[in-house]
Amino acid sequence: MPIKITYIITSLGIGGAENMLYKLLKYTDRKEFVPSVICLTSEADLLASIQSLGIEVFVLPFQSRWYNLPFITFECHRVLYKLRPDIVHTWLYHANLLGGIATYFLPHRPIIVWNIRNTLSGVTSWSQRAFFLLIKITSRFIPDYIVSCSQKGAEEHHKAGFLQKIKVIHNGFVDNNPIVLENRSVMRIGMIARFTPEKDHYTFLKAAYLFLQKNTNCRFVLVGKGCNSENPQLQKWLVQLELSEYVELHEAQISLDKLLNTLDIFTLSSYSEGFPNVIGEAMMKGIPCVCTNAGDAQILVEKSELIVPIQNPKALAEAWLSVLSMPLEKRVELGLDLRQRVLEHFHISKIAQQYDEWHWSLLYP
């Protein structure tokens, strides 16, 4: 008899965790599992995509406001009572807490799995720290099992006081046709990241400034929410570093695939990451990648010469220069090596199989 598993997630907006859940649902073994999804808020961009897989999705009609939390929890409990799943698998902190509470008080309690999608270096404000304290306390009695998408995240949560062992299952990527690298008179280095402190856009821009002192035949591309001409902090940095004519800004609406096809290097300058999905997507396209040593970047990329210390613009600029100084055939080889690593270790079919086997073992150890 198939195992009924309900996934609970804070929202179904466009994001790394949300996209990974969609891919997992698409590649899970539907002969062995009957999945359903509860989205705790009304943000549901991926609703139609998940429903097209023939999966039942319940979108709760609430906004992400603190005063809605009791209503969200109660409504989630009501839906779970009707579904009667064997396993409830929650994704992201708010879903872990609210979905965990809603499940904990069911008369026939399913197995509760928490999925952690972040490291702790981004937990900085007093409100984030207070909420994390609540998560840490409830982690001791609500979830039966905890899984993390990154080794770094698992280690940090354990050190911070999570008592039980945290299983690590990395994110997975869909096969994609590699791009054709070519010698261009003007090279392009790009990053896809929403404008938040942990993505450290200043390090990217400072590295671009240092790079241009040695090579002006390059343009830089920033794509993500907040990466636009209306961002006063971003505009201030561009003026200070004299980069306005060298940097393209795009909001998140631009196609990821379309952007990647125009790049010679993909990069990430974060000081905090879990498992950096966007690097895996670029690797799958065969694009040389350079990124900071945040989260599990080292595990994903593996090649130490492509990993630089966090908040070190000089090291980032030197790594870009090193890659772009390679002959074309060497850059092509580098990109294809990165693509092969993703295919062998992080293809979504392999990751989905890991989840399926683990979920099965929870009920039938």
Side-chain angles (χ1 to χ4, degrees):
M1 186 174 180
I3 293 172
K4 295 170 66 178
I5 179 166
T6 298
Y7 294 91
I8 303 176
I9 191 165
T10 308
S11 84
L12 286 174
I14 304 299
E18 295 83 355
N19 280 311
M20 179 56 203
L21 177 58
Y22 166 69
K23 289 185 287 186
L24 177 59
L25 292 167
K26 186 174 182 179
Y27 282 83
T28 196
D29 187 345
R30 299 292 290 278
K31 294 179 181 178
E32 301 288 347
F33 297 91
V34 178
S36 56
V37 177
I38 298 175
C39 175
L40 295 183
T41 61
S42 55
E43 186 179 358
D45 302 85
L46 292 173
L47 174 62
S49 298
I50 295 175
Q51 287 177 326
S52 71
L53 303 175
I55 294 172
E56 195 170 17
V57 184
F58 299 86
V59 178
L60 306 190
F62 299 102
Q63 298 295 317
S64 299
R65 301 289 186 270
W66 66 268
Y67 50 79
N68 283 327
L69 300 186
F71 305 103
I72 293 172
T73 306
F74 177 80
E75 186 65 14
C76 182
H77 176 88
R78 189 185 67 80
V79 175
L80 287 168
Y81 184 82
K82 290 183 178 180
L83 291 174
R84 297 181 65 86
D86 302 298
I87 298 173
V88 170
H89 190 150
T90 62
W91 286 49
L92 300 168
Y93 277 169
H94 286 83
N96 290 341
L97 180 63
L98 303 184
I101 292 172
T103 308
Y104 189 83
F105 290 101
L106 288 171
H108 302 289
R109 190 164 77 81
I111 289 172
I112 300 174
V113 176
W114 275 12
N115 201 315
I116 294 171
R117 313 296 302 177
N118 62 285
T119 56
L120 296 180
S121 49
V123 179
T124 54
S125 69
W126 70 267
S127 58
Q128 290 173 325
R129 290 175 179 173
F131 190 75
F132 174 74
L133 179 61
L134 182 59
I135 289 289
K136 182 172 72 172
I137 293 170
T138 54
S139 74
R140 301 182 180 185
F141 62 90
I142 287 183
D144 299 297
Y145 302 92
I146 301 176
V147 62
S148 170
C149 68
S150 70
Q151 185 65 43
K152 184 75 169 177
E155 292 171 357
E156 289 188 358
H157 281 78
H158 180 70
K159 289 178 182 178
F162 279 57
L163 300 181
Q164 62 177 284
K165 182 179 179 181
I166 301 176
K167 184 176 181 63
V168 176
I169 302 179
H170 290 119
N171 292 334
F173 305 94
V174 178
D175 195 359
N176 206 340
N177 293 327
I179 69 168
V180 179
L181 294 174
E182 57 187 64
N183 280 323
R184 290 188 256 230
S185 58
V186 178
M187 308 297 261
R188 290 167 62 84
I189 298 173
M191 181 169 82
I192 301 173
R194 67 190 183 280
F195 189 81
T196 58
E198 61 269 20
K199 299 301 180 181
D200 198 2
H201 286 74
Y202 182 76
T203 286
F204 176 94
L205 295 175
K206 182 66 174 178
Y209 169 80
L210 295 172
F211 181 99
L212 290 168
Q213 306 311 301
K214 298 181 179 180
N215 183 348
T216 58
N217 294 322
C218 192
R219 295 297 179 269
F220 301 88
V221 186
L222 288 175
V223 178
K225 187 175 181 180
C227 294
N228 57 57
S229 58
E230 307 301 317
N231 184 326
Q233 183 61 76
L234 199 51
Q235 290 301 317
K236 179 181 177 181
W237 290 336
L238 290 174
V239 172
Q240 286 178 342
L241 296 169
E242 300 179 340
L243 290 173
S244 299
E245 64 179 293
Y246 294 98
V247 177
E248 296 178 18
L249 301 176
H250 300 277
E251 273 284 354
Q253 289 85 351
I254 188 172
S255 163
L256 172 63
D257 201 58
K258 181 180 178 181
L259 170 71
L260 292 176
N261 287 337
T262 71
L263 298 181
D264 299 285
I265 292 179
F266 186 83
T267 198
L268 204 59
S269 59
S270 307
Y271 65 73
S272 174
E273 285 286 341
F275 189 83
N277 282 340
V278 69
I279 289 290
E281 299 286 356
M283 289 170 65
M284 188 65 91
K285 295 286 287 183
I287 302 172
C289 296
V290 174
C291 55
T292 49
N293 192 17
D296 281 13
Q298 178 76 68
I299 294 174
L300 179 57
V301 175
E302 190 180 43
K303 295 178 181 293
S304 59
E305 67 272 22
L306 301 177
I307 304 292
V308 302
I310 64 171
Q311 298 179 317
N312 190 328
K314 184 174 183 290
L316 187 58
E318 289 175 350
W320 292 342
L321 285 164
S322 177
V323 171
L324 291 184
S325 67
M326 294 178 180
L328 177 60
E329 57 271 21
K330 285 292 186 181
R331 286 192 286 119
V332 170
E333 181 181 346
L334 174 60
L336 293 179
D337 284 348
L338 293 174
R339 170 178 163 78
Q340 189 59 35
R341 176 161 177 76
V342 178
L343 288 171
E344 290 182 2
H345 299 283
F346 304 105
H347 192 277
I348 185 59
S349 62
K350 298 178 185 291
I351 300 303
Q353 184 179 2
Q354 289 182 40
Y355 268 109
D356 285 350
E357 291 174 353
W358 184 59
H359 285 146
W360 186 266
S361 72
L362 302 184
L363 282 174
Y364 305 104

